[in-house]
Amino acid sequence: MTHETAGEWRGWREATREALYGPAGFYRGPEGPAGHFRTSVHASPLFAAAVARLLCRVDEALGRPAALGFVDMGAGHGELVTGVLAALPADVAARTRGYAVEHAGRPAGLGPGIEWLAEPPRGITGLLFANEWLDNVPVDVAEVDSEGVRRLVLVRAEDGAERLGEPVTGPAARWLREWWPASGEGTRAEIGLPRDTAWAGAVATLDRGLAVAADYAHPAAARPPFGTLTGFREGRETRPVPDGSCDITAHVALDACLLPGGRVVTQRAALRALGVSGARPPLTLASGDPAAYVRALASAGEAAELTAPGGLGDFGWLLQPVGADRPGDRARFDALLVDVADHEEQ
């Protein structure tokens, strides 16, 4: 924080943008996200393997194009794109180019075949995957005052103190009316319009394929009355203070981000559709091949964490097909989405 901004009151969106992505921002640090919180990517290599299987299904739905792209949005240190490329069958890997999109600089040791970008590449045919990206797109916060007026919540960067500002107006007010109606004095909401815009922009970079956003989410019927804005530091949830010392995040209204033709399912359903199961290996394996049993048991534990109710399994996956307008493409992508929906019902 510079001297000029000391003591300044700003909306949470502006304050968060500076705290996360400014010159001394949280995401500019050498340790990266993995140093502060655990995502599905860090929980198990099963996650990257499942995304690789999804890329193969997208490849099939696209008719096996000559050039296939995988775009990792909010790539951190490139863990997901590295794992996905390593898990692909040789014939698919030979046609696939990996792209990591991140504000921070390229990490040392990243594979030379992965392109490191500040913005997603345009004109890609393939899969764009945004794992816990949208929750870090900064948003403003609104609170209902004693007269029933929704006002912007202003924050002071150095200590996280808050006060109410001007009434919410314009497109932000319209977004709140449609997606997060007020419910009483003191109730709060995160204004998700910037996330809708960011997601639409990311989707627009694909020519043909599938875009997926996997994130903490809440549906319109169950918006949290006091919002979800929080912070994380060194693996622990903490009070959000926009001074660059912690991650600042809020759950995502994925249903508001949804574009025509897409759908939202749980991570549990999506991963089950992609072959991730938390079932324990048969006990007979323990006597026949103890080492294999131990490996299978560890894998089952990791799968259970990725699909657990009340945890990572409750994440939302927004599945958005792009450019599948030709009759053959549409039928294949419909079949892919229906397969995941069937697992949602189980």
Side-chain angles (χ1 to χ4, degrees), residues 125-330:
T125 295
L127 174 63
L128 180 146
F129 202 96
N131 185 61
E132 294 195 44
W133 172 61
L134 283 174
D135 68 300
N136 285 129
V137 173
V139 292
D140 276 316
V141 178
E143 183 175 319
V144 180
D145 69 11
S146 59
E147 297 180 350
V149 177
R150 296 185 106 161
R151 295 181 178 273
L152 282 178
V153 176
L154 305 182
V155 63
R156 195 165 56 193
E158 62 263 35
D159 58 4
E162 294 182 335
R163 73 180 189 191
L164 295 186
E166 296 297 313
V168 180
T169 60
R174 290 194 290 274
W175 188 93
L176 286 171
R177 285 195 297 271
E178 180 175 1
W179 293 106
W180 202 328
S183 55
E185 180 182 353
T187 58
R188 293 167 63 121
E190 291 102 28
I191 305 171
L193 182 59
R195 293 168 171 179
D196 299 359
T197 302
W199 179 243
V203 170
T205 64
L206 285 178
D207 270 359
R208 296 172 61 223
L210 184 70
V212 179
D215 230 313
Y216 296 96
H218 45 66
R223 302 283 190 232
F226 300 104
T228 60
L229 187 75
T230 191
F232 284 92
R233 183 188 296 115
E234 297 177 353
R236 297 180 178 231
E237 189 169 7
T238 185
R239 180 168 166 263
V241 178
D243 61 357
S245 69
C246 67
D247 184 31
I248 297 173
T249 179
H251 295 194
V252 183
L254 283 179
D255 46 359
C257 298
L258 197 64
L259 298 168
R263 66 179 66 189
V264 177
V265 300
T266 63
Q267 174 161 296
R268 180 168 50 258
L271 290 182
R272 284 176 177 170
L274 295 167
V276 176
S277 170
R280 293 173 62 91
L283 288 174
T284 53
L285 184 62
S287 57
D289 189 342
Y293 177 77
V294 170
R295 290 193 299 270
L297 194 62
S299 179
E302 293 173 2
E305 181 182 0
L306 290 171
T307 58
L312 293 174
D314 287 346
F315 267 44
W317 277 36
L318 192 167
L319 307 168
Q320 189 70 56
V322 178
D325 298 326
R326 294 182 300 188
D329 283 355
R330 172 57 61 190

